[in-house]
């Protein structure tokens, strides 16, 4: 047993409120039943079968209000795996549900038997025909696909607000549309072809000219059944007219019956039916989209009205003027949005009924934009707008940053409002559409209905298309609250259908939420055609039963999840999943959402339950140890939940008093620690030169086993040699800035085999050349940005060093009169922001006077204008660090690189490397997983330079790619060297 095991019981919840009515029962504490696990392992391999209770719980939740525990999770790698699972399910009479991003809002990504993860191994974009088409794997996010297309001036038609996280497989399977897609730019209208696996295992590529011939041979009964349904529909003029009318507005309720009218062959019919089928008819393994022009000339306005009906009445005017998007946000939405970074704080004071329209026009050129602005001004001139708070301007703008802020607030609708809900309540997101001409009337009726049932909902939506969303919060643990929600849903559905002939689901797809009301909207004849479609394609009902079709009138009330309270930093989470694509451990252990989901299940359990014990056993490694602590989840989360900070707090809880004292002592005597570390690195360098890396790998491996893997780093061959013992000589007199070489650059040297100066020498040299000399204080040794302690949760040591560095910086900079230039991005972030909570009140006042500048920013803004570029390299690939994302200085890294290289590339999949100081040495598997996709891009071609802005991140990327990364400032020094 290791000498320093984490403190027993440290992660056990302080207060366990359970047992909750929807807790995982004790009988499932062992996870996947043995026979099921064994058979799937034999079929697929152990690495593809997840069956521990922690695995099942983390996959049981998605962005919806539902929660169903799967029996097993399969991580499919390819079509062969999918076909094998389907064949197994047929033979064993089991059910299969496919899950990608888990951002769906109606429970589509949840199953009670075999759940198949089709995100992890299913990402990739191939741009075709100069960008006019794109072949995309189903686990690719919309954001990632559009990034690849943007270089060609193209974009996908669907643009859901969850584009940062939702995947194209889910977008097509739900026919999700978004702000601008309407009925003409959605998946149904813009798909060129798709490849899918039928429940029988038959693979169909609708783009193959021989697809119908091959399908007829493989599935004759299916082909016959589809053509029979087509004949029946076409023979019923009333039904044909009904189908056409239903799709004049946005509609994703049920199967796309117009596929029978638009397709002339079985494959063409299937191509249409698969769109919006929610995984109930087959697995979509690849899509080919026809893309659209990316009009870059924008003008946008955020216009405020006194009431929801008044705003809705203005929508047709902007539609007629040619607006591409007209988005509505009611008062509850606007007020909740103040939790989103960049939203004006005075929105919190907006009157209750205030409503805003976000109106955007897009054009391919300046002339088109000017014409849009003329039309917009004419509409605005006739409106009665209000300016209830100082930040409101009611003006159209071209400013990209302002426009981005508007959209950030709008896209955060679900998460911002959800984050502001009462603690312990479940969030329901409704989505309906009415003819746009009746939008104002529908808004009034909705407000009346909400008041009647005691709900104060938030309303937003794609007003241009008559599509509104509203959010309800209630306590799923209280039967009376569930009954109130049920009564509201009955009344709402009847209102939408009987008064407005609207769509009960406009773009979120049917799901468990609306399946019981399918016949209410479509009528018995059309609904029966949908049931027949399911039986023809999936006669054994293997795929996703009860998700789209369900005859149980109370099915929407089954499986509603309770939301027990957890730690305050995570409690606002609505489990939307926006954080997941940014998380370094996403493909290794858990994501920020899953870390919170697991914590909530702990709270549902009663003390001593075997489920709680199983979750706690796994949580230490799966959640705490393998969190990089980079907090990029906070940047992705619309309400800024910092799960990384929570994991650091958990690390702190696991420390024994002895560990905390030792860490504090190391902070107080860091001068000795720093010198010892540099000597150790130098000694290790000599050992590896003499006998190779094997002996150090063996020694550190033994030490890790004896002490604890999370405390003792593993030796990696990529670890650089020692830095020079002395820093470059500089003068205080005449210095324009104080230069602070980070401790990592005082301990570790630059990349081996690369001639030239060290990083401190390079910073001093380029600053001198630009006429901006810097000064290095002689007493920097023994100081640190405190990130070493902060990242590991050593609060006492963090407090010691945080106060020391601020006091020292205050003296060095003459009370903040000179900027403090820091040469490692994580250290810049640490001194700028992360030390603040640990400072004394007096030192907080000192800190507020400091000007802390990252060395990359210093070079881009202060040095480059005064430097002569004498030589460049042909190409450079960049690794922007996660700290740079927090500091918002990625543009400055690019600027420095563009001065030094003729071509600069930032990989599409660039993200946190998860090296995180020494975490990449404590858990090398974390960095390996986090960098896999970025490394694949980097190694797919040759680059002349591999640049970044943090030494340990460079080491991590060295290990991931086999290429030598180094600071962009070293390349700048070479480019400007006389």
């Amino acid at each position: 047993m290791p000498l320093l095991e984490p403190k027993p019981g440290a992660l056990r919840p302080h207060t366990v409120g359970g047992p909750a009515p929807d807790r995982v029962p004790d009988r499932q504490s062992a996870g996947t039943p043995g026979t099921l696990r064994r058979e799937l392992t034999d079929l697929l391999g152990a690495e593809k079968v997840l069956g521990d209770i922690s695995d099942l719980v983390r996959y049981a939740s998605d962005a919806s209000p539902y929660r169903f525990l799967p029996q097993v999770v399969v991580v499919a790698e390819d079509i062969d795996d999918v076909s094998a699972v389907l064949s197994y399910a047929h033979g064993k009479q089991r059910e299969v549900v496919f899950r990608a991003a888990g951002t769906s809002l109606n429970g589509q990504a949840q199953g009670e038997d075999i759940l198949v993860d089709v995100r992890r191994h299913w990402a990739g974009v191939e741009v075709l025909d100069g960008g006019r088409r794109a072949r995309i794997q189903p686990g690719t996010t919309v954001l990632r696909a559009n990034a690849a297309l943007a270089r060609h001036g193209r974009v996908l038609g669907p643009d859901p607000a969850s584009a940062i996280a939702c995947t194209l497989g889910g977008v097509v399977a739900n026919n999700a549309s978004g702000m601008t897609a309407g009925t003409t730019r959605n998946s149904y209208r813009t798909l060129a072809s798709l490849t899918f696996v039928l429940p029988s295992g038959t693979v169909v590529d609708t783009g193959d000219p021989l697809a119908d011939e091959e399908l007829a041979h493989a599935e004759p009964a299916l082909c016959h059944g589809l053509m029979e349904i087509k004949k029946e529909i076409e023979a019923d003029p009333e039904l044909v007219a009904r189908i056409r009318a239903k799709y004049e507005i946005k509609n994703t309720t049920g199967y796309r019956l117009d596929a029978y009218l638009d397709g002339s062959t079985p494959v063409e019919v299937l191509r249409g039916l698969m769109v919006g089928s929610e995984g109930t008819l087959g697995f979509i393994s690849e899509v080919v989209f026809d893309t659209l022009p990316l009009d870059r000339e924008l003008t946008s306005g955020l216009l405020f009205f006194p009431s929801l009906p008044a705003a809705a009445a203005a929508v047709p005017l902007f539609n007629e003027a040619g607006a591409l998007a007209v988005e509505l946000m009611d008062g509850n939405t606007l007020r909740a949005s103040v939790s989103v970074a960049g939203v004006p704080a005075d929105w919190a004071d907006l009157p209750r009924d205030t409503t805003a329209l976000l109106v955007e026009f897009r054009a391919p050129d300046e002339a088109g934009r000017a014409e849009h602005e003329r039309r917009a001004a004419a509409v605005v001139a006739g409106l009665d707008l209000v300016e209830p708070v100082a930040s409101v301007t009611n003006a159209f703008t071209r400013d990209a940053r302002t426009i981005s802020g508007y959209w950030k607030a709008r896209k955060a609708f679900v998460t911002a409002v959800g984050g502001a809900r009462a603690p312990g309540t479940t969030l329901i997101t409704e989505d309906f559409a009415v003819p746009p001409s009746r939008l104002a009337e529908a808004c009034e009726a909705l407000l009346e209905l909400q008041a009647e049932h005691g709900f104060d909902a938030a309303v937003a939506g794609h007003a241009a298309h008559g599509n509104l969303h509203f959010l309800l919060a209630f306590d799923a643990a209280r039967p009376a609250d569930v009954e109130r929600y049920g009564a509201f849903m009955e009344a709402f559905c009847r209102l939408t259908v009987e008064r407005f002939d609207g769509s009960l689901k406009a773009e979120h797809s049917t799901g468990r939420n609306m399946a019981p009301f399918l016949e209410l909207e479509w009528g018995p004849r059309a609904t029966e055609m949908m049931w027949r479609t399911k039986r023809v394609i999936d006669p054994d009902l293997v795929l996703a039963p009860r998700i789209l079709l369900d005859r149980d009138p109370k099915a929407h009330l089954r499986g509603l999840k309770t939301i027990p309270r957890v730690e305050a930093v995570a409690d606002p989470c609505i489990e939307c999943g926006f954080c997941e694509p940014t998380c370094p451990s996403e493909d290794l252990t858990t994501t920020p959402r899953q870390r919170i989901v697991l914590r909530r299940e702990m709270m549902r359990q009663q003390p001593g339950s075997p489920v709680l014990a199983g979750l706690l056993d796994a949580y230490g490694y799966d959640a705490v140890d393998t969190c990089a602590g980079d907090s990029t989840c906070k940047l992705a989360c619309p309400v800024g939940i910092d799960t990384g900070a929570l994991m650091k707090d958990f690390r702190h809880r696991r420390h024994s008093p002895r560990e905390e004292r030792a860490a504090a002592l190391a902070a107080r005597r860091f001068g000795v620690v720093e010198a010892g570390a540099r000597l150790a690195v130098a000694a290790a360098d000599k050992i590896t030169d003499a006998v190779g890396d094997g002996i150090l790998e063996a020694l550190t491996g033994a030490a890790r086993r004896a002490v604890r893997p999370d405390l003792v780093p593993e030796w990696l061959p990529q670890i650089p040699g020692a830095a020079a013992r002395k820093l470059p000589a500089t003068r205080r007199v005449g210095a324009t800035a104080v230069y602070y070489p980070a401790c990592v650059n005082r301990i570790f040297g630059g990349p081996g085999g690369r001639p030239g100066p060290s990083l401190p020498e390079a910073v001093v040299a380029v600053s001198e050349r630009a006429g901006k000399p810097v000064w290095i204080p002689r007493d920097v040794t023994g100081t640190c940005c405190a990130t070493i302690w902060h990242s590991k949760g050593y609060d006492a040591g963090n407090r010691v060093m945080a106060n020391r560095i601020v006091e020292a910086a205050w003296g060095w900079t003459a009370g903040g009169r000179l900027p403090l230039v820091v040469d490692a991005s994580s250290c810049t972030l640490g001194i700028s922001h992360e030390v603040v909570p640990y400072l004394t009140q007096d030192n907080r006042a000192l800190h507020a006077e400091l000007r802390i500048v990252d060395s990359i920013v210093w070079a881009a803004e202060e040095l480059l204008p005064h430097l002569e570029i004498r030589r460049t390299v042909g190409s450079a690939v960049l690794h922007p660090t996660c700290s740079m994302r927090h500091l918002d200085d990625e543009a400055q890294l690019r600027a420095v690189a563009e001065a030094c290289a003729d071509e600069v590339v930032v990989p599409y999949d660039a993200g946190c490397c998860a090296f995180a100081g020494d975490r990449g040495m404590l858990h090398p598997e974390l960095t390996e997983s986090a960098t896999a996709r970025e490394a694949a891009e980097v190694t797919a071609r040759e680059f002349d330079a591999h640049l970044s802005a943090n030494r340990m991140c460079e080491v991590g990327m060295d290990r991931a790619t086999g290429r030598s990364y180094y600071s962009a400032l070293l390349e700048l020094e070479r480019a400007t060297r006389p």
Side-chain angles (χ1 to χ4, degrees), residues 1 159 166 207 280 290 307 322 432 593 697 716 800 842 889 899 955:
M1 178 181 290
D159 64 336
C166 68
T280 64
D290 289 323
S307 67
F432 72 108
R593 169 169 62 176
E697 291 172 348
L716 302 177
V800 169
D842 287 345
D889 57 14
V955 171

Side-chain angles (χ1 to χ4, degrees), residues 495-517:
L495 172 73
T496 302
V497 171
E498 295 171 358
R499 181 169 168 181
F500 296 101
D501 193 20
S503 306
L504 293 176
K505 284 296 175 185
E507 62 176 0
H508 292 170
S509 228
T510 314
R512 300 175 183 275
N513 178 244
M514 207 52 70
F517 303 99

Side-chain angles (χ1 to χ4, degrees), residues 406-420:
Y406 291 162
W407 281 109
K408 189 174 182 181
R410 167 61 189 92
K411 290 179 180 181
F413 164 62
V414 172
T415 46
V417 174

Side-chain angles (χ1 to χ4, degrees), residues 400-480:
R401 196 175 190 90
T402 302
I403 293 172
S404 176
Y406 291 162
W407 281 109
K408 189 174 182 181
R410 167 61 189 92
K411 290 179 180 181
F413 164 62
V414 172
T415 46
V417 174
R421 74 194 187 285
T425 56
T426 298
L427 190 70
I428 300 282
T429 306
E430 292 303 339
D431 158 50
F432 72 108
V434 299
S437 61
R438 301 188 68 186
L439 183 65
E441 179 188 354
C443 287
E444 292 190 32
L446 177 62
L447 292 175
E448 291 173 3
L449 190 66
Q450 289 172 353
E452 179 183 337
H453 289 268
F455 288 107
D456 184 18
V459 180
H462 318 308
H465 309 292
N467 176 196
L468 291 182
H469 308 312
F470 62 92
L471 304 179
L472 306 173
F474 65 94
D475 189 345
R478 296 179 54 202

Side-chain angles (χ1 to χ4, degrees), residues 567-626:
E567 286 76 11
V569 66
D571 199 53
C573 176
I574 63 165
E575 301 173 11
C576 68
F578 284 21
C579 56
E580 293 192 335
T582 71
C583 180
S585 59
E586 177 188 27
D587 291 335
L588 179 67
T589 51
T590 58
T591 67
R593 169 169 62 176
Q594 291 173 337
R595 289 174 169 97
I596 295 170
V597 163
L598 289 166
R599 198 68 181 162
R600 283 176 170 159
E601 182 57 37
M602 293 179 196
M603 295 295 186
R604 293 186 184 101
Q605 297 294 321
Q606 56 189 348
S609 82
V611 172
L612 177 59
L615 296 179
L616 286 169
D617 284 346
Y619 203 76
Y621 175 77
D622 287 353
V624 181
D625 292 347
T626 53

Side-chain angles (χ1 to χ4, degrees), residues 794-814:
Y794 288 114
D795 283 7
N798 193 2
R799 198 168 289 110
V800 169
M801 189 55 74
N803 284 280
R804 180 186 297 173
I805 186 60
V806 168
E807 290 167 2
W810 174 258
W812 296 332
T813 62

Side-chain angles (χ1 to χ4, degrees), residues 258-575:
D258 57 346
Y260 287 107
L261 304 177
D262 297 334
S264 58
T265 70
V267 167
E268 290 177 0
V269 170
L270 279 171
R271 173 240 174 258
L273 286 171
M274 284 293 162
V275 179
S277 62
E278 305 174 52
T280 64
L281 301 180
F283 165 61
I284 299 170
S285 62
E286 183 178 87
V287 294
V288 178
F289 272 94
D290 289 323
T291 66
L292 302 170
L294 177 59
D295 292 337
R296 300 179 188 271
E297 304 300 325
L298 311 182
T299 182
S300 305
L302 190 62
L303 312 176
F304 287 74
F305 296 80
S307 67
L308 183 59
V315 172
L317 303 177
F318 286 109
N319 284 345
E320 293 168 8
L324 184 63
V326 184
E327 296 292 298
L328 182 146
M329 294 178 279
D330 78 341
N332 284 342
T333 301
L334 293 166
R335 287 186 292 275
S337 295
V338 297
S339 63
V340 178
V343 170
D346 61 5
W347 283 15
D349 302 320
L350 287 168
R352 174 183 174 82
D353 295 331
T354 303
T355 302
L357 292 180
L358 171 53
V359 183
E360 183 161 291
F361 295 84
R362 300 180 191 173
D365 52 36
E366 174 57 33
R369 177 162 64 176
E371 175 59 20
H372 284 323
E373 289 172 335
R374 186 190 65 77
R375 293 181 183 178
V379 174
V380 170
L383 300 176
D384 291 324
L385 302 175
V386 296
E387 297 182 3
V389 294
S391 66
V392 172
T393 63
N394 290 324
F396 276 80
T397 180
R398 297 181 173 192
D399 182 69
R401 196 175 190 90
T402 302
I403 293 172
S404 176
Y406 291 162
W407 281 109
K408 189 174 182 181
R410 167 61 189 92
K411 290 179 180 181
F413 164 62
V414 172
T415 46
V417 174
R421 74 194 187 285
T425 56
T426 298
L427 190 70
I428 300 282
T429 306
E430 292 303 339
D431 158 50
F432 72 108
V434 299
S437 61
R438 301 188 68 186
L439 183 65
E441 179 188 354
C443 287
E444 292 190 32
L446 177 62
L447 292 175
E448 291 173 3
L449 190 66
Q450 289 172 353
E452 179 183 337
H453 289 268
F455 288 107
D456 184 18
V459 180
H462 318 308
H465 309 292
N467 176 196
L468 291 182
H469 308 312
F470 62 92
L471 304 179
L472 306 173
F474 65 94
D475 189 345
R478 296 179 54 202
D481 245 20
V482 174
E483 183 179 342
R484 178 168 65 104
Y485 164 67
F488 172 84
M489 283 298 295
E490 292 278 351
F492 163 71
C493 290
R494 294 200 172 278
L495 172 73
T496 302
V497 171
E498 295 171 358
R499 181 169 168 181
F500 296 101
D501 193 20
S503 306
L504 293 176
K505 284 296 175 185
E507 62 176 0
H508 292 170
S509 228
T510 314
R512 300 175 183 275
N513 178 244
M514 207 52 70
F517 303 99
L518 184 63
E519 188 169 330
L520 173 66
E521 176 173 339
W522 276 99
R525 173 81 169 135
T527 303
E528 180 56 30
M529 292 296 178
M530 295 182 190
W531 278 98
R532 283 180 59 189
T533 297
K534 174 67 170 174
R535 288 193 292 269
V536 165
I537 299 174
D538 185 18
D540 296 331
L541 303 182
V542 167
L543 287 182
R546 307 192 72 172
I547 282 180
L548 189 148
L549 297 171
D550 199 327
R551 297 195 191 278
D552 178 2
K554 300 295 184 183
H556 60 301
L557 304 180
R558 174 176 168 267
L560 290 168
K561 66 184 173 188
T562 61
I563 305 292
R565 299 192 69 169
V566 291
E567 286 76 11
V569 66
D571 199 53
C573 176
I574 63 165
E575 301 173 11

Side-chain angles (χ1 to χ4, degrees), residues 704-787:
R704 284 162 62 80
R705 290 188 294 274
V707 180
R708 192 168 100 211
D710 205 51
L711 287 179
V712 179
E714 178 179 326
W715 176 260
L716 302 177
Q718 294 78 18
I719 299 299
R725 191 168 61 84
K726 291 185 177 181
L727 292 165
T730 56
R731 289 169 53 83
R732 182 168 191 169
V733 176
T736 58
V738 176
Y739 169 32
Y740 181 69
C743 67
V744 68
N745 294 320
R746 304 193 306 261
I747 295 172
F748 294 104
R754 186 180 186 277
S758 66
L759 179 58
E761 289 169 340
V763 173
V764 170
V766 292
S767 298
E768 188 71 36
R769 287 172 202 161
K772 302 274 186 176
V774 294
W775 171 62
I776 302 175
R778 292 183 179 179
D779 57 345
V780 295
T781 300
T783 63
C784 173
C785 65
T787 300

